[in-house]
Amino acid sequence: MAGVYIHVPFCKTRCAYCSFYSTTSEELKDGYVEALCREMAGRQRQAVATVYLGGGTPSQLGVNRLQRILSAVRAHFAVAADAEITVEVNPDDVTAELAEGLAEAGVNRVSMGVQSFVDEELLTVGRRHTAEEACRAVGLLHGEGFSNLSIDLMYGLPGQTLESFARSIDEALNLPVAHVSSYALSVEPGTLLHSRLRQGTFRETGEREMLEMYNLLRKRLKEAHFEHYEISNFALNGYASRHNSSYWDGTSYLGLGPGAHGYDGQRTRRANLPDLKAYIAAADDVPHQLEVLGDDELYDEIVFTRLRTTRGLRLAEVPADRRDYLLRMAAPHVAAGRLSLTDDVLRLTPAALFISDGVMADLMAE
Ligand code: SF4
């Protein structure tokens, strides 16, 4: 069964580090929902196991629009009775009304962009909420019956130290959350943080300190019985994200909304163009691009996605004519303890998780 990803391209304000496609315009929200329902109607009906509303900030749409979108998803696709339905929220949008509305709409997983529990750090990167608001939001959702709650934490934020990151991890673990995603700050061109970097008013955290933060994260979450199931994702038993896991195991997923990406599970990737006005104006098929993966790209894709998880890369998943090449490229890393090869499954070792990009780059097609 497929997954459905819906990109909601609205944010109240833009965060200093963000390069995702979104707008702060208010007036296009209804037009967007209309166009989204139209796009769904034009897609082939299929069985769906996971639905994920991400962004942008889905919670900026408000209860009624979110309920309308989820009704349309159920009307157009055969959504499994036990489907995982996730909505991303920002803490300052969470009210009792929103929590209740999400539950009524059948949402059973909420992912919250907290990023830090230190107010000064949140302020520096333009997040709108405080640590207290994040705790209150988790409490409201949990009180509404949401047990599958995920929060995002970032490391490498301006002004963040190992000690302040430890406080954020501990705060997260004091809350009733079952899943934590944690990403290193990456300074992307076009962001406010990138300008600050060029102006010299912001200095990136050094690699050694980043590694210390990542190791601390892994240690604290392990002590709290979270399984480290993907490079940046940790979950209590039974709470790994089914939707995100489908990105890493090659399951097909539809991408709906401007800027959304989809994959047919074989060789075709589809990207809706990140242009909200053109998306709303499109009468028929929305503006998009298709990419058909060649043999090299398909091999790279399999290696890059499967190795991200602790499940690892089964050699049987690799096209037969590429296995010798893969094993030859992997051999130095196996010898150095950065990869393990057991029962024909290749995995990153814990020591290599932080430098996974470099290891995987060495395995890519020539
Ligand atoms: S980080 Fe999230 S809330 Fe901030 S601008 Fe990006 S999508 Fe919007």
Side-chain angles (χ1 to χ4, degrees), residues 18 35 53 57 73-74 100 102 126-128 192 209 247 261 280 303 308 352 361:
C18 184
L53 271 73
T57 313
V73 170
R74 291 183 196 283
E100 197 180 329
L102 293 178
R127 299 293 300 185
R128 298 187 310 274
L192 188 57
E209 209 176 340
Y247 296 148
H261 291 247
I280 291 173
V303 172
R308 297 188 65 84

Side-chain angles (χ1 to χ4, degrees), residues 193-211:
L193 221 46
H194 193 254
S195 316
R196 287 191 204 154
L197 188 66
R198 285 184 10 188
Q199 288 157 3
T201 53
F202 156 64
R203 193 176 53 79
E204 284 184 279
T205 306
E207 185 126 338
R208 213 189 69 200
E209 209 176 340
M210 288 289 230
L211 176 59

